[in-house]
Amino acid sequence: MLKPEAEDGQRSLADPAFRADVLAGLARRPRAIPARWFYDRQGSELFEQITDLPEYYPTRTEIGILEKLCPTLCEHVGQGRAVVEFGSGSSAKTPILLRSVVPSAYVPIDISGDFLRASSKTLSAAFPDLLVLPFEADFMRPLTLPRTIADAPKLGFFPGSTIGNMTPLMATDLLRAMRASLGEGAMLLIGMDRIKGADILVPAYDDAAGVTAAFNMNLLARINRELDAAIPLDAFRHVARWNDDRARIEMHLEAVRDIKFTIDGQTFAMTAGETIHTENSHKYGARDARILLRAGGWTPVAEWTDPDGLFAVYLAEA
Ligand code: AVI
């Protein structure tokens, strides 16, 4: 997820796709910028801090579930599968899985090559006998996996409830792409956050220490840094709201006063109360999750949750 800065410490040239998404997203109504642009160096560091917040239950809850289920996971998946992790990031949850399924190889896939290589190095040091094959790619599209693992049955790993950041349509497309990439006989271990009361959900995305607010506001700071803009950050505030109709937390940046700013010669005027929609985090009830998996071409075979039913991990087969 993390995109490193240029080695000489200079501001790296803006990614043309970032520029295009920002300009198009601010021009449309409702205004929206894709959440993937949160994750520059500052954003990735802030996200790591979020995962430790008392209000943000998903990370520690999923780790607790994985620690409980992994010792018996090989009863379901056998041994010797090649583990393919989608959007591996810092691979923080991976050691729990690798210790139990004794894979023939581990293929972490991430769009950020430098970050991928660094985390693969750390993992290789912890598992010296494991064949680690880092794969720099956008996993949203069907992939041709390394030939070395062509004949091995695969276990896909997609933790963190990242699937929740996609609309159900995108999530279905992704699950289908994963099925195509992993091939016949594949299995998938996937984390999904459950629907629960807004009293738990909203603070998880609007914590008392303001870390999630800083994470959201960093998107504007990134626009200023990389696109030479001068958006006054104090003209915006972080908003997290539960959209019950669509079963998702939405994050927005709301203008607190009428504001005008220019990016690339294009002027944007926002009135007080208008927002830029920056993220969706969909939550899935037990049945919803199974339907989503089936729509994506997977058959659910087992599921695990925590004692409070906050989060769930699903095992599915192709
Ligand atoms: C990465 N993703 C699963 C997080 C989530 O919970 O939707 C991103 C996040 N946004 C705000 N807090 C965490």
Side-chain angles (χ1 to χ4, degrees):
M1 281 190 192
L2 182 142
K3 196 152 195 269
E5 276 166 11
E7 265 173 29
D8 58 4
Q10 296 294 301
R11 187 165 47 81
S12 53
L13 285 178
D15 184 331
F18 176 51
R19 186 183 299 273
D21 276 358
V22 167
L23 293 174
L26 290 174
R28 85 165 67 97
R29 300 291 182 279
R31 300 180 207 260
I33 298 174
R36 71 187 183 106
W37 298 114
F38 278 142
Y39 299 95
D40 65 347
R41 180 168 294 277
Q42 284 91 331
S44 298
E45 281 166 11
L46 286 163
F47 179 66
E48 287 303 311
Q49 289 177 37
I50 287 174
T51 61
D52 282 334
L53 289 169
E55 296 96 333
Y56 193 76
Y57 59 87
T59 309
R60 63 175 169 276
T61 308
E62 185 180 40
I63 288 175
I65 297 170
L66 289 171
E67 276 168 349
K68 266 197 165 163
L69 81 87
C70 278
T72 56
L73 188 62
C74 39
E75 289 169 18
H76 298 275
V77 306
Q79 286 197 336
R81 284 180 183 266
V83 169
V84 178
E85 182 168 357
F86 295 93
S88 52
S90 64
S91 295
K93 293 158 192 162
T94 319
I96 311 170
L97 178 66
L98 298 183
R99 272 194 292 272
S100 70
V101 298
V102 194
S104 55
Y106 170 59
V107 183
I109 306 176
D110 205 286
I111 203 158
S112 168
D114 288 3
F115 197 47
L116 180 67
R117 280 182 285 278
S119 56
S120 299
K121 231 177 158 182
T122 312
L123 212 91
S124 291
F127 294 87
D129 298 330
L130 179 65
L131 176 64
V132 179
L133 301 165
F135 190 33
E136 185 176 345
D138 177 3
F139 63 80
M140 294 299 291
R141 302 195 178 99
L143 306 164
T144 305
L145 293 170
R147 284 178 57 163
T148 330
I149 60 159
D151 296 332
K154 319 287 186 305
L155 172 64
F157 186 42
F158 194 38
S161 194
T162 304
I163 192 115
N165 295 132
M166 292 151 211
T167 61
L169 182 61
M170 285 166 65
T172 310
D173 286 349
L174 174 61
L175 288 166
R176 287 187 173 272
M178 285 175 170
R179 194 181 183 284
S181 306
L182 295 172
E184 280 305 304
M187 297 190 91
L188 176 69
L189 190 67
I190 180 170
M192 292 195 215
D193 196 11
R194 285 237 161 126
I195 297 178
K196 58 191 71 65
D199 56 326
I200 297 177
L201 283 167
V202 173
Y205 292 83
D206 193 5
D207 56 285
V211 182
T212 313
F215 174 72
N216 199 7
M217 293 292 290
N218 178 58
L219 184 61
L220 296 178
R222 181 177 184 183
I223 294 172
N224 285 347
R225 278 194 297 273
E226 295 185 21
L227 304 183
D228 275 332
I231 304 171
L233 302 190
D234 65 358
F236 288 87
R237 72 177 186 106
H238 164 68
V239 174
R241 59 171 86 120
W242 172 243
N243 181 334
D244 196 59
D245 187 44
R246 304 186 80 160
R248 69 189 191 194
I249 283 282
E250 294 179 3
M251 295 209 315
H252 295 256
L253 290 161
E254 183 183 293
V256 294
R257 57 173 193 264
D258 293 356
I259 172 88
K260 253 190 198 168
F261 53 89
T262 303
I263 306 172
D264 246 10
Q266 226 171 297
T267 299
F268 300 94
M270 292 179 67
T271 50
E274 221 191 307
T275 75
I276 306 166
H277 188 169
T278 50
E279 187 182 55
N280 293 312
S281 194
H282 294 83
K283 310 300 172 186
Y284 290 97
R287 287 194 185 89
D288 311 328
R290 284 184 230 126
I291 290 169
L292 182 71
L293 284 167
R294 285 186 191 277
W298 294 91
T299 305
V301 292
E303 63 189 74
W304 298 266
T305 184
D306 53 292
D308 299 320
L310 296 175
F311 197 95
V313 175
Y314 294 83
L315 182 67
E317 61 189 12

